[in-house]
């Protein structure tokens, strides 16, 4: 898919520093692999590739670990199923904001919440590496440590999708 519009940061937005190029996404459904690729013309002299794996989302909210060391982000998960007690507004305002998007298991629609297939429209993307190349020679190869995001996808037609990325 070609990325025609995004509010994502570089290189996902088609820019790397002052240089603009074509950004697109390669999604391999068989292997669960994903690559966000930026190529700057002519001849792709500058490129950036963000590689990741993905799985269907099971309704578990991903939260960043605030105690993670600088430069290394880890993730904690908060279960959003009937066996866990969701955080309250007083303990986690983020969960309250999320409840406007994904219903709480303790809401009046509890039976509906339990039967939601989050994976039908949402993925958990785990970023693995970012590689920046100049004339095909790798300049930067940054590895990520457990950096995850939940992407919610809406398919408009066979050629157009809207992806909302969040934590």
């Amino acid at each position: 898919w070609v990325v025609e519009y995004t509010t994502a940061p570089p290189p996902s937005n088609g820019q790397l520093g002052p240089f603009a190029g074509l950004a697109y996404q390669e999604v391999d459904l068989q292997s669960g692999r994903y690559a966000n690729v930026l190529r700057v013309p002519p001849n792709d002299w500058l490129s950036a590739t963000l590689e990741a794996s993905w799985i269907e989302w099971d309704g578990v909210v991903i939260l960043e670990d605030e105690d993670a060391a600088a430069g290394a982000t880890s993730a904690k998960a908060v279960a959003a199923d009937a066996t866990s007690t969701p955080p309250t507004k007083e303990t986690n305002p983020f969960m309250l904001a999320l409840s406007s998007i994904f219903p709480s298991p303790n809401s009046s629609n509890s039976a509906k919440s339990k039967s939601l297939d989050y994976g039908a429209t949402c993925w958990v993307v785990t970023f693995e590496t970012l590689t920046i190349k100049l004339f095909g020679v790798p300049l930067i190869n940054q590895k990520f440590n457990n950096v995850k995001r939940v992407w919610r996808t809406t398919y408009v037609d066979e050629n157009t999708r809207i992806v909302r990325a969040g934590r």
Side-chain angles (χ1 to χ4, degrees):
W1 280 295
V2 173
V3 178
E4 295 193 28
Y5 173 79
T6 183
T7 59
S12 298
N13 67 358
Q15 293 189 308
L16 191 57
F19 306 106
L22 176 66
Y24 60 96
Q25 295 177 331
E26 299 172 349
V27 178
D28 186 333
L29 297 175
Q30 299 298 326
S31 69
R33 305 286 306 153
Y34 158 84
N36 196 3
V37 181
L38 167 66
R39 294 198 171 130
V40 178
N43 302 319
D44 303 335
W45 66 275
L46 180 63
S47 68
T49 304
L50 176 62
E51 294 181 303
S53 60
W54 62 271
I55 58 173
E56 289 186 357
W57 188 43
D58 60 3
V60 173
V61 177
I62 305 299
L63 299 175
E64 284 189 27
D65 185 350
E66 295 175 353
D67 298 326
T73 304
S74 64
K76 292 181 181 176
V78 176
D81 63 20
T83 63
S84 68
T85 304
T88 64
K89 179 179 178 182
E90 292 77 28
T91 61
N92 193 337
F94 175 73
M95 292 302 294
L96 182 63
L98 263 178
S99 68
S100 66
I101 300 170
F102 302 105
S104 167
N106 295 332
S107 71
S108 60
N109 295 331
S110 183
K112 182 179 176 184
S113 296
K114 291 178 189 175
S115 66
L116 284 178
D117 180 6
Y118 293 106
T121 59
C122 298
W123 306 346
V124 173
V125 177
T126 303
F127 297 108
E128 296 170 356
T129 60
L130 172 64
T131 304
I132 299 176
K133 295 180 181 179
L134 179 65
F135 298 109
V137 177
L139 296 177
I140 296 172
N141 189 6
Q142 178 182 353
K143 295 185 186 229
F144 298 99
N145 182 22
N146 204 26
V147 177
K148 297 181 180 188
R149 300 292 184 264
V150 175
W151 288 2
R152 184 174 179 201
T153 305
T154 302
Y155 296 91
V156 178
D157 58 33
E158 289 183 21
N159 300 313
T160 308
R161 68 186 172 120
I162 299 169
V163 178
R164 293 175 257 352
R167 296 185 193 275

